[in-house]
């Protein structure tokens, strides 16, 4: 009796705390466990997709060598194929790969050399273990993506709220226009235009995130200014596309919320306009946006590839692209799985965030 | 007194370039610091013995070497594509090197001589020469490499053909033995001409650091040999050893192969002017001066002059150009193609210099037909010389040259280009006139094709449309556009030539299925035939004659095609060419081979090949005036990292 | 007073679509966008007529040329609109190429000229073009009127934009139509039947959304067999693009179905024995048709960008056909753009089209909103 009463009349924070104590841990565990079957399915799909184009890594590699003037006798090529296990039937290759990832027993070379029970195999083109390659690019990818996402939301939210509260004004149109430009111009074109402008205005095209000096000595206080300068173009190029969609969606939701009867009531009661907008309308409006976090994350990963190539930024997108072109299967498969995993984790975090925002979800046990 | 006499005698006996004059050696300031700090031995101990030091007085084109200043960092912006071998090309030291006329001179080898019948070759190394980690470079390094890395195929790629001979259809390897620490002797079963041995462009090195490899050769690869015992190591132990030094490789095979790519691994000692500091896949690849480099200039300064070479990897050539032009960047030079040169010069004015890297290709946009096509009608057609002539005259080369290169190149057919060996204006312009009517006439009268109602030619026998699948390994759109320019002319005379851009084009060619012609690949190029002999006999694309050095014929491949007619003649002349001992005496036979190739028009080309240009910031000295873009001269790296200096 | 009553009455009796139409007219940007889109599609339809040249007319003198200047006065006299022919000098030593106008002879611009033949709607042969230049004042030949300049192979950018629009503007439509069909079908099935069917379809959608697009594009387009006709490549590309886009629509439809499924009127229909398919198609789908239309309109821009990106990467349309994406490949060279900024013009077209679709979709969304 008492417990029920507490649940209903308890304060905001007590409610959240109790929710988290009870359900959150089991919820997270359930969600993470649910990711793995999806990953399995994804790994199969991507393996099939990679093998679709004719040829394989060896044929792409030999074509490259031939372009350099080297010649190789066919038996050497066949040997190369056998080395990479590419002459085995498709299902066998897939099975041996996925089996190795799930569990590599202790009596194998891999375990003895690396001490790990999960064999992600090697990248053909780099000659290094797949995880070594991914580890090189992962920090920058995650860091940059997160930073761009935060930037996107920091920019879109105020703009969208302004747009919604001043509907059909000049400001609304102007902001919509700028936001749309970002989505209308393909990323790589925007990147090139930005580089040209940077070059014309400052004499330095700001190619890449790191100048030569930064590549040698890392980013430190001495060159942090240069680093920030180099962040401008990537943020604009990578962020602008998503900004548009977010602005429009938040604006649309806000418009719906603002016209609800309860705002009229609140105004009649004397609640300040700011409080109405931010504490009530915004919290309700943000719901679908937070739900869309996962998709937006996934789009960021794939949409950034061509732009990153143009801007010379070393994130996983271009690495994946090169791996796909040369049919470097294990590397491509691993990268896709990592990205899918990150997207799922993003969705999970979004759902937890949603639970924070929307008490209805807390009480009903989750949005999924 | 006696010492001076010895020195003078040794100087007189040395082949090749000038003997040591100054005994006093100087070194770069950055190294002098380390010597003072006790980290490096003094320069006299790092260099080989005074009389064995290599003294450089001129560049490869016989331009005199200016005495340079020490210091500086040279930076190049380079695209990932096509520069995957930057570290090799920039640092390879061959046993015997070549000047721009193709004449050999001793490089790593101090001297070599053979016995009367050329079955035994004795090589003398430079005494006191050391690897980049200070260990001596001795005869052991050669014998170890031969028996423990190469002959047993541990280094995995292919056999260096100059090191074995084919006798009665079987491969017979040479033997190598150590005479003393700085002398080795190679013994061949049959006479081996110098021009097929060290003077070919193909024998790039035959040594490896024994002190590095002696614990990294597994038992599984051991082959019996008179010198080196089995290491007794298992595959896994070898892989673990590689992991210890930071190289994580997927199999013991890959471990062995890494030796072939030694220039990419900072862990492996080297004898080149620069040491690689990091992996080729890093965005910034640094090469740092090798303190044990064994060459000096005429005043005794230890080469190289420049402290460090950096390669900044960018994604496309545009970025490289922008970085060169911008003032903030550190980039010192790039390689640009013909269309960008003017734009760069306009942007940088006096700040940039242009140096030309002339091409050795036999024409641009080379087209080659599948002479062993499985479709017999097609095979007859493409083997008919008149068909090839028709396809050649159907194209308006003036337009092509204008469209491809803005008129900056000349119309040409496949032939040696100026100023390369064998250049002949008549050859270059043969069958380049634009005459589609004549082409149609040839196709109807000489090839027996029938013009159909659909505007295309048909085979008389089967009635099929004459439609060729032209395979090309480059899959980008620029290539497709380039080809589209040619296609319109062939469409106009009624022969369909469809471009098939496939990057598995090697598989297609090997299997001899699905290709009737190849475009832009398998082209004839090379300063002289000895650079790339395989391309001069145009059957190398067919299943049979894949590796030119061996004569495995019908026993090896069931689809053996007999050579006949002019191809057989060409092959025979090549065999005769191989039998001439001195490289310089072979020119006449080479011209004979070229004549056969030109007469038969097996290859078509449409324009002279545009040169590439180094766009260099002013202020670099010792840049060679003439450079040929060729493997023998290390492609783009031939300007000589070890002699460039900042003025 | 009577008039006002009348207009109010017409408001009350107007159907759902008429209401939407009226609200749409109020949205200014949507109106402008409709007009712009109308113009663009009209031009695409008449593309062959408007464009003075075809897609594969190479001309080495006009390679990389800037937009042709139209003059009125030749040697002091007014002779009507005309152009001069270009002449090019290539210095092989300095590698400099200079292009200049040859002012000795002028070439008048004619309207409704005969030019490169083409087929209207694919089968009616015709060779009439809106404008062009033919002979010069002294009988010379070979001048061209390149209003937007020439590309790197000397082809007319103006012509290629209009001819390319035929592909770039229609692929998204077809792709959107296929996406719509797939999305509604699978979403409806998933939402209505629920249970295991729903679970399977949802997992499939999840997998497809999680796989990044670039690999899908690459692999699917690398699987397109080479050497096939443009029509076939077009077909394959629409399939690929729609395949990627249908998931969003399916998810939306499913959501709507889930909420509508429990409405009373559906229960009533079920009780009165209406067949399942009838329920879905006659009763449920019209309920959110407006929402679907909006979704479709908003998926078209992403298809345009998708096709553009694919062609830019070289995975889609190949010569001799052209699309805006193919033309953008040339713009990716920085030095090219700095010397020839006219090559950026296709971007303007892409941007305007995408913007127009977005605004139009927004207007539709606002119009379909019942709460306003």
């Amino acid at each position: 009796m008492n417990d029920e009463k507490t649940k209903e009349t308890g304060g905001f924070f007590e409610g959240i705390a109790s929710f988290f104590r009870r359900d959150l841990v089991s919820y997270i565990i359930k969600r993470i466990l649910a990711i793995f079957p999806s990953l399995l399915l994804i790994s199969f799909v991507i393996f099939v997709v990679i093998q679709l184009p004719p040829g394989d890594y060896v044929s792409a590699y030999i074509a490259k060598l031939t372009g350099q003037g080297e010649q190789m006798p066919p038996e050497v090529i066949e040997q190369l194929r056998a080395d990479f296990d590419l002459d085995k039937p498709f299902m066998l290759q897939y099975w041996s790969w996925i089996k190795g990832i799930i569990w590599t027993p202790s009596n194998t070379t891999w375990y003895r050399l690396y001490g790990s029970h999960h064999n992600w195999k090697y990248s053909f083109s780099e000659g290094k273990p797949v995880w070594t390659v991914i580890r090189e690019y992962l920090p920058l990818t995650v860091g940059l993506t997160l930073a761009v996402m935060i930037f996107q939301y920091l920019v879109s939210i105020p703009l969208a709220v302004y747009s919604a509260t001043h509907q059909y004004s000049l400001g609304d149109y102007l902001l919509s226009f700028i936001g749309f430009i970002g989505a209308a111009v393909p990323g790589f074109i925007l990147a090139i235009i930005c580089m040209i402008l940077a070059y014309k205005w400052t004499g330095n095209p700001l190619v890449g995130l790191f100048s030569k000096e930064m590549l040698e000595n890392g980013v430190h206080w001495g060159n942090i200014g240069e680093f920030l300068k180099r962040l401008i173009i990537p943020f604009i190029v990578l962020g602008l596309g998503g900004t548009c969609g977010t602005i429009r969606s938040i604006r649309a939701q806000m418009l719906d919320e603002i016209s609800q009867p309860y705002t009229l009531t609140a105004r009649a009661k004397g609640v300040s306009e700011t409080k109405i907008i931010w504490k009530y309308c915004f919290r309700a409006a943000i719901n679908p946006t937070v739900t869309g976090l996962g998709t937006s994350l996934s789009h960021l990963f794939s949409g950034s590839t061509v732009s990153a190539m143009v801007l010379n930024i070393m994130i996983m997108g271009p690495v994946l692209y090169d791996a796909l072109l040369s049919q470097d299967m294990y590397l491509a498969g691993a990268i896709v799985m990592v990205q899918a995993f990150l997207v799922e984790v993003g969705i999970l975090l979004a759902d937890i965030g949603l639970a924070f925002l929307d008490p209805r979800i807390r009480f009903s046990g989750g949005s999924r | 007194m006696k010492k001076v006499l010895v020195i003078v005698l040794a100087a007189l006996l040395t082949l090749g370039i000038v003997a040591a004059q100054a005994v006093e050696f100087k070194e770069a300031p950055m190294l002098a610091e380390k010597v003072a700090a006790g980290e490096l031995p003094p320069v006299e101990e790092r260099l080989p013995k005074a009389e064995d030091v290599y003294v450089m007085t001129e560049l490869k084109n016989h331009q005199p070497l200016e005495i340079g200043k020490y210091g500086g960092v040279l930076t190049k912006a380079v695209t990932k594509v096509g520069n995957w071998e930057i570290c090799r090309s920039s640092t390879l030291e061959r046993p015997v090197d070549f000047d721009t006329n193709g004449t050999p001179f001793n490089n790593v080898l101090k001297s070599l001589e053979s016995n009367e019948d050329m079955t035994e070759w004795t090589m003398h190394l430079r005494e006191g020469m050391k690897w980049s980690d200070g260990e001596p470079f001795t005869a052991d390094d050669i014998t170890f490499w031969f028996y423990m890395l190469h002959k047993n195929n541990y280094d995995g790629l292919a056999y260096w053909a100059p090191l074995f001979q084919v006798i009665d259809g079987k491969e017979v390897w040479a033997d190598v033995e150590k005479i003393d620490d700085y002398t080795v002797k190679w013994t061949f079963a049959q006479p081996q001409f110098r021009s097929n041995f060290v003077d070919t462009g193909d024998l790039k090195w035959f040594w490896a650091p024994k002190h590095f490899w002696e614990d990294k050769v597994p038992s599984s690869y051991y082959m019996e040999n008179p010198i080196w015992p089995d290491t007794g190591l298992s595959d896994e132990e070898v892989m673990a050893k590689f992991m210890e030094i930071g190289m994580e490789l997927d199999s013991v095979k890959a471990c062995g192969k890494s030796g072939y790519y030694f220039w990419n691994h900072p862990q492996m000692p080297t004898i080149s002017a620069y040491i690689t500091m990091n992996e080729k896949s890093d965005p910034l690849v640094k090469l740092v001066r090798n303190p044990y480099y064994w060459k000096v200039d005429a005043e005794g300064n230890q080469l190289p002059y420049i402290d460090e070479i950096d390669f900044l990897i960018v994604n496309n050539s545009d970025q490289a150009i922008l970085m060169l032009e911008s003032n903030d960047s550190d980039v010192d030079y790039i390689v640009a193609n013909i269309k960008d040169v003017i734009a760069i010069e306009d942007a940088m004015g006096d700040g940039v210099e242009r140096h030309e890297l002339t091409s050795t290709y036999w024409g641009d946009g080379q087209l080659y037909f599948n002479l062993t096509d499985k479709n017999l009608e097609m095979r007859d057609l493409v083997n008919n010389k008149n068909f090839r002539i028709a396809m050649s005259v159907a194209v308006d080369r003036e337009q092509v040259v204008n469209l491809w290169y803005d008129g900056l190149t000349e119309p040409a057919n496949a032939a040696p280009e100026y100023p390369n060996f064998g250049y002949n204006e008549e050859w270059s312009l043969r069958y380049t006139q634009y005459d589609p009517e004549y082409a149609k006439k040839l196709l109807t009268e000489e090839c027996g094709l029938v013009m159909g109602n659909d505007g295309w030619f048909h085979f008389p026998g089967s009635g099929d449309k004459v439609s060729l699948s032209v395979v090309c390994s480059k899959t980008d759109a620029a290539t497709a556009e380039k080809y589209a320019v040619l296609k319109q002319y062939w469409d106009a005379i009624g022969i369909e030539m469809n471009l098939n851009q496939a990057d598995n084009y090697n598989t297609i060619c090997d299997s001899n299925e699905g290709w009737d012609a190849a475009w832009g690949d398998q082209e004839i190029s090379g300063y002289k035939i000895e650079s790339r002999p395989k391309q001069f006999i145009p059957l190398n694309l067919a299943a049979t004659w894949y590796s030119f050095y061996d004569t495995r014929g019908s026993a090896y491949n069931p689809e053996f095609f007999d050579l006949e007619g002019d191809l057989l003649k060409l092959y025979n002349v090549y065999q005769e060419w191989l039998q001439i001992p001195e490289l310089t005496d072979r020119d006449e036979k080479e011209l004979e081979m070229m004549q056969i190739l030109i007469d038969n028009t097996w290859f078509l080309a449409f324009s002279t090949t545009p040169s590439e240009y180094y766009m260099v910031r002013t202020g670099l000295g010792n840049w060679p005036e003439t450079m040929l873009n060729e493997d023998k001269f290390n492609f783009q790296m031939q300007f000589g990292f070890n002699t460039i200096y900042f003025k | 007073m009577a008039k006002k009553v009348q207009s109010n009455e017409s408001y009350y009796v107007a159907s759902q679509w008429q209401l939407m139409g009226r609200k749409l007219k109020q949205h200014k940007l949507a109106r402008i966008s409709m007009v712009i889109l109308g113009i663009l599609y009209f031009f695409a339809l008449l593309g062959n007529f408007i464009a003075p040249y075809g897609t594969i007319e190479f001309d080495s003198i006009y390679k990389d040329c800037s937009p042709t200047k139209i003059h009125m006065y030749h040697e002091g006299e007014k002779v009507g609109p005309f152009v001069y022919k270009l002449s090019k000098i290539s210095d092989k030593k300095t590698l400099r190429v200079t292009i200049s106008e040859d002012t000795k002879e002028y070439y008048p611009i004619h309207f409704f000229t005969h030019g490169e033949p083409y087929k209207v709607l694919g089968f009616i042969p015709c060779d009439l073009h809106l404008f062009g230049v033919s002979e010069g004042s002294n009988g010379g030949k070979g001048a061209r009127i390149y209003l937007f300049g020439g590309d790197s192979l000397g082809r007319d950018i103006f012509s290629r934009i209009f001819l390319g629009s035929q592909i770039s503007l229609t692929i998204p439509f077809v792709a959107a139509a296929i996406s719509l069909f797939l999305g509604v079908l699978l979403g409806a099935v998933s939402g209505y039947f629920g249970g295991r069917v729903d679970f399977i379809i949802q997992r499939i959608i999840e997998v497809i959304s999680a796989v990044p697009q670039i690999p899908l594009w690459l692999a699917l387009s690398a699987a397109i067999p080479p050497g096939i006709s443009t029509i076939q490549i077009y077909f394959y590309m629409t399939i690929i693009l729609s395949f990627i886009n249908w998931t969003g629509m399916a998810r939306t439809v499913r959501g709507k179905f889930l909420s509508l499924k429990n409405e009373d009127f559906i229960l009533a229909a079920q009780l009165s024995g209406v067949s399942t398919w009838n329920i879905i198609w006659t009763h449920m789908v019209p309920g959110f048709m407006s929402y679907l239309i909006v979704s479709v309109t908003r998926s078209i821009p992403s298809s345009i960008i998708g096709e553009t990106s694919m062609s830019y990467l070289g995975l889609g349309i190949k010569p001799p056909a052209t699309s805006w994406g193919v033309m953008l490949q040339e713009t990716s060279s920085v030095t090219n753009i700095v010397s020839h900024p006219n090559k950026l013009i296709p971007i303007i077209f892409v941007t305007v089209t995408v913007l127009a679709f977005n605004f139009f979709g927004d207007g539709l969304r606002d119009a379909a909103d019942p709460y306003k």
Side-chain angles (χ1 to χ4, degrees), chain B residues 394-439:
Chain B
V395 176
D396 182 355
R397 285 175 171 76
E398 278 293 338
Q399 280 291 305
V400 167
V401 155
N402 269 305
L403 282 170
W404 285 358
Y405 300 114
D406 251 337
L408 294 173
T409 55
E410 310 262 357
N413 209 339
E417 293 179 0
Y418 180 82
N420 298 324
F421 172 78
Y423 169 69
N424 177 323
E425 196 179 341
E426 194 267 319
W427 284 357
S428 232
L429 295 175
R430 205 184 275 206
Y431 304 134
T432 56
Q433 72 272 30
Y434 176 46
D435 200 345
E437 291 310 314
Y438 179 56

Side-chain angles (χ1 to χ4, degrees), chain B residues 163-182:
Chain B
L163 298 177
F164 66 86
Q165 296 164 319
V166 181
I167 303 174
D168 296 329
K170 283 177 54 170
E171 287 166 12
V172 178
W173 284 89
D175 278 321
V176 66
E177 59 181 288
K178 169 177 163 175
I179 307 291
D180 63 44
D181 267 341
Y182 294 102

Side-chain angles (χ1 to χ4, degrees), chain A residues 54-56 59-77 79-81 83-84 107-110 112-114 122-129 132 135-137 195-196 199 202-205 207-208 210-213 215-216 229 308-314 318 322 325-327, chain B residues 73-75 80-85 88 156-158 204 236 239-240 243 247-251 253 257 260-261 279-284 286 308 310 312-316 319 322-323 325-330 347 361 473 502-507 510 521-522 532 534-535 540 543 546-547 550 552 556 631 635:
Chain A
D56 53 26
S59 53
Y61 174 67
I62 301 288
K64 203 163 48 165
L65 280 185
T66 318
Q68 305 268 329
E70 299 256 357
Q71 295 281 2
M72 286 219 255
E75 64 268 19
V76 169
I77 300 182
Q79 191 55 46
L80 264 178
R81 246 189 212 112
D83 293 345
F84 290 133
N107 62 349
T108 54
T109 312
W110 178 271
R112 284 195 287 265
L113 284 177
Y114 293 94
Y122 293 83
S123 152
F124 297 146
S125 48
E126 306 265 347
K128 292 191 269 202
T132 313
R135 237 179 327 171
E136 282 173 22
Y137 296 99
M195 270 198 333
I196 295 179
Y199 174 62
T202 68
N204 183 347
V207 174
F210 303 108
S211 69
K212 178 161 164 252
E213 194 260 330
L215 285 171
E216 292 178 346
K229 251 199 297 180
M309 291 196 315
V310 172
L311 291 172
N312 208 26
I313 299 180
M314 311 282 161
D322 285 336
L325 278 184
S326 54
Q327 293 187 292
Chain B
V73 174
L74 184 69
T75 312
K80 266 196 303 220
V81 179
N83 275 285
W84 63 305
E85 292 263 65
R88 168 194 100 166
L157 218 55
K204 299 191 174 86
E236 229 176 83
M239 285 172 68
M243 277 186 72
M247 290 169 61
E248 300 172 310
L249 298 162
D250 64 355
S251 63
K253 208 179 260 207
K257 279 198 205 157
Y260 183 82
Y261 293 107
E279 305 278 334
K280 68 168 158 84
S281 56
D282 288 346
L284 177 68
K286 289 157 91 75
E308 184 181 312
D310 289 344
L312 259 179
I313 314 289
V314 293
N315 256 309
N316 57 47
Q319 293 172 351
L322 275 184
M323 288 171 81
E325 290 176 0
S326 99
N327 295 322
D328 290 340
S329 157
D330 298 313
Y361 272 67
S473 72
D503 58 7
N504 66 330
Y505 113 108
N506 269 100
T507 321
D510 284 353
D521 291 297
Q522 302 301 337
R532 285 268 180 258
K534 304 162 195 170
Q535 287 158 299
N540 84 32
Y546 214 103
S547 168
D550 64 54
R552 289 176 274 193
Y556 161 64
D631 189 20
F635 291 123

Side-chain angles (χ1 to χ4, degrees), chain C residues 39 69 224 234 272 296:
Chain C
I39 296 178
K69 296 204 243 310
I224 299 178
Y234 183 100
S272 31
V296 167

Side-chain angles (χ1 to χ4, degrees), chain B residues 515-542:
Chain B
W515 72 283
D516 304 305
W519 188 72
D521 291 297
Q522 302 301 337
E523 299 162 311
I524 298 190
S525 71
Y527 175 64
K528 276 181 152 186
I529 292 184
E530 74 252 13
S531 311
R532 285 268 180 258
K534 304 162 195 170
Q535 287 158 299
F536 282 82
I537 310 293
L539 269 188
N540 84 32
L541 292 174

Side-chain angles (χ1 to χ4, degrees), chain C residues 24-81:
Chain C
L24 191 59
K25 288 201 194 109
Q26 281 180 354
H27 194 290
K28 276 192 285 223
L29 270 183
R31 271 223 314 258
I32 301 177
S33 306
M34 269 199 330
V35 171
I36 293 181
L37 285 176
I39 296 178
L40 281 172
Y41 275 91
F42 182 66
F43 280 171
L45 196 62
L46 294 183
N48 296 83
F49 173 67
I50 298 177
Y53 302 100
T55 57
I56 54 168
E57 285 190 48
F58 307 111
D59 192 317
S60 53
I61 300 186
Y62 283 80
K63 181 173 141 91
D64 291 329
C65 73
S66 27
T68 315
K69 296 204 243 310
I70 300 185
H71 304 274
M72 295 294 268
Y73 289 89
H74 172 67
E75 288 169 4
E77 277 180 54
K78 179 168 179 189
V79 285

